[in-house]
Amino acid sequence: MSKAHRGTGIRNEANHGRGKCPRCGKENIKVLYEKEIDGNTVKVCKFCNAQLKNIARKEAKIAKANAPKEEAAPAEASAEQA
């Protein structure tokens, strides 16, 4: 089977989606993923996109671990009222 449609989404972009990644500084790399960095929306490469996702995932895990355990207390209070 032919692969004629591969990359058709980036053919209409400047330089076929290639440029300099503002986060890592690599040149002539595909910058396709829009991310918000310091309040600005910029396009980053797939490696920086993955790294930003991993950082956000780790921060969410830490925040969840540090959150107070208040789920058990309201359930007990509602059982006492009934």
Side-chain angles (χ1 to χ4, degrees):
M1 298 194 81
S2 70
K3 298 177 173 79
H5 301 292
R6 222 178 243 191
T8 57
I10 62 172
R11 286 184 189 160
N12 58 359
E13 291 188 19
N15 294 328
H16 295 279
R18 292 187 178 268
K20 183 177 180 180
C21 179
R23 189 163 185 276
C24 63
K26 291 182 184 177
E27 293 183 3
N28 201 21
I29 192 166
K30 290 181 185 173
V31 286
L32 304 173
Y33 306 94
E34 289 187 356
K35 289 291 180 178
E36 187 173 328
I37 300 175
D38 298 329
N40 297 328
T41 303
V42 294
K43 288 191 171 189
V44 295
C45 64
K46 70 186 246 182
F47 304 109
C48 292
N49 184 42
Q51 190 174 26
L52 290 169
K53 280 186 178 180
N54 286 333
I55 290 170
R57 184 179 49 86
K58 288 177 185 177
E59 288 175 354
K61 185 177 180 182
I62 292 170
K64 185 178 178 183
N66 292 338
K69 305 276 182 176
E70 296 182 17
E71 294 179 10
E76 293 172 3
S78 63
E80 292 174 6
Q81 292 175 356

